[in-house]
Structure formats: C-alpha cells, structure tokens
Amino acid sequence: MWFFIFGWFFTAFVVLGNVLVIYLIITRPRLHVKTNWFILSLALADFCFGLSYFPMIFTSYFNAQISTDHSGLWFKISHTFLYSSCVNLCVLITDKYITVMKPLRYDSYMTRKRLLSALALAWITPFLLFTVPSFFTYSGRNDLFTFAFETFRVLIFQLVPSVAFVLITGHLFLIARSISQKETLLLAQLKFNFCEHPKKRVKKIKDRKASMKMIFLIILFFVLCHIGGNYRCFCFTFKMCVASETLKKVIHICFIINSAVNPLVYAFLKKDMKRELKNVAIEQKLSLVRAFKRNSPDPAIELR
C-alpha cells in the first residue's frame, strides 16, 4: 500500500509541477531566455517520464499481460524518457558551465543554431543509443549482445553522468567561490570609497549564488536517487547479487522523486521563475476577487 500511495503522490507532483514549468516558460515572454529553453526541455522529459513510468507499473499489478521487466515495452518507453531527462540535465549543466567559464562570450557562443542542436541532441541520443538497440535484446538468442548493451546502458546513462555531475559541480563551485571572493573584496573597496554598496553588483552576486544552489540540489537528488538504480543494474547485469522486491520499489519511488524535485527547485531558487510564479498567483487571486464581486448579491460589496 505504501508503494501505491507514494507512487501516485509523487507522480502527480511530477506531472503537475512540470506542466506548470512548461506553461510558465511558454506563456511568459520574460522567461524566453536561452537557459530556460534547456529547463523547458528537461521539464518536458520529466513530464513524459511521469506519465509513462508509475501508471504502467500500477496497471501491471492488475493486468498480468503487461510486462514491467527489461524485455517489455514499458521498460523501453519509460527509460527512453528517463534517459532523455538525464541527457537534458547534462546539456543544462554544460550550459551553466559555459556561463561560468566564459560569461562575456556566452551570448556569442550559444547561438540559436547551437541551442537547437543541443536540444535535439538531448532527445536523439537516448533514442539512438538506448531505444533502438533495446528492441534487439532479451530475445534468447543474443545473450552476449544483451550483456554488452546492459553494461553500456548503465555506464553511459547512469554511472558516468553521476560521476561527471559531481566533478563538474565541484569545479563550478570552486570557480564561483573564487569569483565571489574577488567581488567581495571589490565591493568592500567600493563601499570604503563611496560609502555604499553598488546594488546591481550585489544583486548579480546573489543571483549567481541562487543559480549555483539550484544546480547543486538538482545534481544532489539525481546522484542520490540513482545510487539504488545503479546497484540494481549491477546485480541484474553481472548476477553477483540480488535486489529484493522492497529495494526495487524504493528505487522506483526514487526515480519518480528525482523528476518531482526539479520543478520544486526551479520554483524556489530560480529568480525569474519564482517571480513569474508569484505573478501568476497574484493574477489568479485578482481574477477570483473580480469574479466574487461580479457574482455577489450584496450591493455594498460591489461598491467596495
């Protein structure tokens, strides 16, 4: 019962949260910046994963004809979106890395063509490296290919990204800390000379820190949620251990939580997203007040 409760709760959070992110980015012109298009692509991958992952697992408990093992269609579709989310996250981290390493050349480097190419790569790569080969596995006559494919899949889409994310994020934090220390000294000098802090520079520092916190939390949850999945895949591929049914259910929930955390992080740490979310809430509140006043029978309320 706990598995169904947590599964549906976090699945609903994945779907609704990522729909909200997609809606905000598409409908709000102020969010039409380069980084947000990468976030939009990641939110779309998480949304598709949420729709295809747990609902089919739940249905399989009542319909024995639906297979949820590696040979079934569910595994191929759901993990295509799972790995699309992973590659989209790789692209987002790369974009952030370029922003920190080459801030002055970013706009000229990240052209529209490169932006579209990066987004296309994030969706085509899982399809070519996972979806297509997966249809030729588990046929009973190509065990060697299945073993090679499973090893390649775990390395490319689960283990390597986890290690790379940790290394890149650590490097970004070292660079950001160095820049922050230099800017702190500059602000102290400016304050001494002019008796006040330049507000724009202080705002820029705060925005950078919030951006780094966002990346750190997304990477942290990705790595933590994929530890169990990597262990299970290791057991499945090399037959050296056995993952219990309880562990498998926990891993399923962790995968869903990973996709549910991303929109929550955007809402609280990404400043432009948080601002537009507040604007939506204010607009909805005002529309409800107007609707209440129009439908109110009390003329005194209408006058107010």
Side-chain angles (χ1 to χ4, degrees):
M1 183 62 68
W2 68 267
F3 177 59
F4 292 150
I5 294 174
F6 281 106
W8 279 117
F9 174 78
F10 288 114
T11 296
F13 205 101
V14 170
V15 174
L16 296 177
N18 285 288
V19 164
L20 180 59
V21 171
I22 294 170
Y23 168 77
L24 286 176
I25 295 176
I26 291 177
T27 60
R28 301 283 164 165
R30 283 180 291 187
L31 294 179
H32 293 176
V33 296
K34 294 174 182 177
T35 299
N36 286 342
W37 294 121
F38 294 117
I39 292 177
L40 173 66
S41 183
L42 177 60
L44 181 60
D46 286 334
F47 169 75
C48 294
F49 172 74
L51 289 180
S52 63
Y53 195 74
F54 184 78
M56 197 59 65
I57 296 177
F58 178 79
T59 306
S60 69
Y61 277 84
F62 304 97
N63 189 347
Q65 295 180 349
I66 298 176
S67 174
T68 58
D69 58 19
H70 285 55
S71 61
L73 185 62
W74 165 83
F75 175 77
K76 298 172 177 60
I77 295 176
S78 63
H79 278 64
T80 297
F81 293 124
L82 176 65
Y83 294 148
S84 294
S85 176
C86 173
V87 181
N88 271 287
L89 185 56
C90 290
V91 172
L92 179 62
I93 297 299
T94 303
D95 175 75
K96 181 56 63 178
Y97 187 80
I98 296 172
T99 304
V100 173
M101 294 297 294
K102 301 181 183 296
L104 299 179
R105 298 176 55 189
Y106 175 78
D107 289 332
S108 61
Y109 180 82
M110 188 57 67
T111 60
R112 180 181 177 85
K113 182 179 179 180
R114 286 177 176 170
L115 172 66
L116 295 176
S117 299
L119 293 176
L121 181 67
W123 289 92
I124 294 174
T125 300
F127 180 78
L128 293 179
L129 298 184
F130 169 74
T131 310
V132 175
S134 67
F135 282 96
F136 299 96
T137 58
Y138 307 105
S139 63
R141 292 178 294 181
N142 51 1
D143 293 338
L144 182 60
F145 176 78
T146 299
F147 175 80
F149 170 72
E150 284 295 311
T151 305
F152 173 80
R153 172 181 73 85
V154 175
L155 285 175
I156 296 299
F157 292 109
Q158 295 180 199
L159 189 58
V160 171
S162 298
V163 176
F165 287 161
V166 172
L167 295 177
I168 292 174
T169 305
H171 189 204
L172 286 176
F173 265 96
L174 291 176
I175 295 172
R177 187 177 67 174
S178 176
I179 295 174
S180 178
Q181 290 174 348
K182 293 178 181 178
E183 290 186 335
T184 301
L185 292 175
L186 178 60
L187 286 173
Q189 186 64 42
L190 290 173
K191 183 180 180 181
F192 176 79
N193 293 337
F194 301 103
C195 301
E196 62 178 355
H197 280 283
K199 295 182 179 180
K200 290 185 178 180
R201 187 170 291 273
V202 173
K203 179 178 176 295
K204 186 178 180 181
I205 294 175
K206 291 182 178 180
D207 290 346
R208 185 187 296 116
K209 288 181 178 180
S211 179
M212 292 303 301
K213 287 180 182 178
M214 181 190 75
I215 294 296
F216 174 77
L217 288 176
I218 291 175
I219 295 303
L220 176 65
F221 279 101
F222 178 90
V223 173
L224 292 178
C225 292
H226 279 76
I227 288 176
N230 292 334
Y231 173 77
R232 181 188 176 187
C233 290
F234 177 84
C235 294
F236 179 83
T237 303
F238 295 99
K239 313 298 181 185
M240 297 176 63
C241 50
V242 178
S244 65
E245 289 299 320
T246 301
L247 177 60
K248 292 178 181 178
K249 292 178 180 178
V250 171
I251 292 170
H252 288 316
I253 297 298
C254 286
F255 281 162
I256 302 170
I257 290 176
N258 179 54
S259 294
V261 164
N262 291 343
L264 190 64
V265 172
Y266 305 148
F268 283 95
L269 290 180
K270 200 165 189 308
K271 188 170 182 179
D272 57 348
M273 200 81 70
K274 182 166 61 175
R275 181 184 63 242
E276 294 301 326
L277 191 60
K278 289 181 179 179
N279 291 339
V280 169
I282 293 172
E283 290 171 4
Q284 292 296 321
K285 182 179 179 180
L286 291 176
S287 64
L288 289 175
V289 170
R290 294 191 192 100
F292 175 76
K293 288 182 177 180
R294 284 197 302 267
N295 299 327
S296 175
D298 189 351
I301 295 180
E302 292 182 2
L303 287 174
R304 288 198 296 271

